Amino acid sequence: MKTAYIFPGQGAQFVGMGKDLYDSSEESKALFERANEILGFRITDIMFAGTDEELKQTKVTQPAIFLHSVILSKALGDQFQPAMVAGHSLGEFSALVAAGALSFEDGIQLVSKRANAMQKATELEPGTMAAILGLDDIIVEEVCAQIEDVVVAANYNCPGQLVISGTVAGVDKACEKLLEAGAKRALKLPVGGAFHSPLMEAAKQELQAAILDTEITIPVCPIYQNYDANPYQDPVAIKENLIAQLTGAVRWTQTVETMLANGAEAFVEVGPGAVLQGLVKKVNRQIPTSSATV
């Protein structure tokens, strides 16, 4: 059976995540402790017993979700037989480590640098995001293009759900016009920045050097990347797409469609939550989905 393994992004975190892995396996515990060393603070204390507020900080959230996903994929052992992998935004880094293209140490360092770069970019260029429900993608794109302030389509999550991103003024104007155009809802998201928009240019510049300096090897299976929803195994192309991802859109709907077209018969979500399984079902209700369990 061709199984697609998918890795969640920011928003999937919860207090207590990963504790079962830490407690049940010496190998998992060693990886968590290695991450504490690399990060320079005990992220496990926040993951296992912190507050929601502490866990919500970008510099904590991104490494926490990455660790939960990657250590769970390693704990699966021989069960983990991916025909293809993909990750939603941050999840792309988890997918690369799980598929053997990136080492655990390099992965956690890149994710930490990415989180800090994105945090700085949001302070430099404040912005926001909003989920637009019940409109065709093309209408959302057309409306965004008409607004003078920065606002773009950022996350193509599933048919009828597209997240826009930009300046506060740009997003507010777009929400108003999109509701007039027939959107069922326009929900402002509780985020501090305009992720996957041109306002992340400073983060992209900062992360580019780190990505280019990191060794990426050929993964064990194709990785379907957010930037254009196509499968890649060439390390040079993978790096280019990772860099472009920060200011480019997450084409998740298109990624799932391409994986299905290329023979995916089941989707397994590796990491906290079940958000991606819900999005897969919106693309194809018949396809089996599940959460990875050890």
Side-chain angles (χ1 to χ4, degrees):
M1 189 183 232
K2 268 195 172 183
T3 304
Y5 285 84
I6 50 177
F7 296 79
Q10 209 160 330
Q13 70 276 4
F14 62 90
V15 173
M17 60 191 279
K19 178 99 172 55
D20 54 338
L21 291 166
Y22 187 96
D23 290 341
S24 65
S25 146
E26 283 304 318
E27 290 85 352
S28 296
K29 183 178 180 177
L31 288 171
F32 277 118
E33 290 299 344
R34 181 82 184 101
N36 286 335
E37 276 172 42
I38 291 168
L39 293 169
F41 68 97
R42 289 196 62 78
I43 192 169
T44 48
D45 292 351
I46 302 173
M47 288 172 69
F48 302 162
T51 64
D52 286 337
E53 279 310 305
E54 287 172 316
L55 195 55
K56 251 186 357 205
Q57 299 171 77
T58 294
K59 68 170 190 178
V60 176
T61 311
Q62 293 195 18
I65 292 168
F66 168 87
L67 285 173
H68 189 275
S69 295
V70 167
I71 294 173
L72 175 55
S73 75
K74 290 185 182 299
L76 291 171
D78 292 341
Q79 274 185 65
F80 186 68
Q81 299 284 344
M84 51 188 90
V85 294
H88 191 287
S89 189
L90 154 76
E92 194 157 284
F93 290 83
S94 311
L96 282 167
V97 176
L102 188 57
S103 75
F104 176 78
E105 285 80 6
D106 286 344
I108 190 71
Q109 282 172 331
L110 274 185
V111 165
S112 180
K113 284 176 184 166
R114 179 182 189 267
N116 289 324
M118 287 169 80
Q119 189 61 50
K120 271 193 270 180
T122 62
E123 287 156 17
L124 204 65
E125 295 257 23
T128 192
M129 301 175 83
I132 309 303
L133 307 181
L135 264 191
D136 284 346
D137 292 348
I138 189 131
I139 296 171
V140 179
E141 291 163 354
E142 284 169 359
V143 168
C144 286
Q146 292 161 14
I147 311 262
E148 283 176 19
D149 297 272
V150 175
V151 60
V152 296
N155 291 358
Y156 294 77
N157 282 335
C158 64
Q161 188 193 120
L162 209 173
V163 174
I164 60 172
S165 180
T167 61
V168 174
V171 170
D172 284 344
K173 286 177 196 164
C175 285
E176 199 179 310
K177 289 206 176 300
L178 288 162
L179 286 168
E180 284 169 14
K184 286 182 188 158
R185 297 179 80 182
L187 301 170
K188 291 282 283 285
L189 301 180
V191 294
F195 303 132
H196 299 288
S197 84
L199 300 187
M200 284 288 121
E201 185 59 38
K204 178 179 168 180
Q205 295 301 330
E206 189 173 327
L207 200 62
Q208 181 165 357
I211 288 173
L212 291 175
D213 283 346
T214 301
E215 187 186 7
I216 289 182
T217 56
I218 297 169
V220 297
C221 64
I223 173 159
Y224 288 67
Q225 292 192 271
N226 292 175
Y227 182 63
D228 64 3
N230 286 321
Y232 290 91
Q233 284 184 282
D234 171 45
V236 174
I238 288 171
K239 285 186 178 187
E240 285 171 4
N241 292 330
L242 277 182
I243 293 162
Q245 190 217 67
L246 274 175
T247 51
V250 174
R251 299 182 180 279
W252 190 253
T253 306
Q254 297 87 334
T255 297
V256 174
E257 287 170 347
T258 310
M259 290 171 113
L260 287 165
N262 290 348
E265 295 167 274
F267 285 77
V268 179
E269 187 164 0
V270 189
V275 170
L276 298 184
Q277 293 170 66
L279 299 181
V280 169
K281 288 288 192 194
K282 292 270 171 55
V283 177
N284 182 333
R285 202 171 286 283
Q286 310 305 319
I287 201 83
T289 63
S290 60
S291 294
T293 51
V294 179

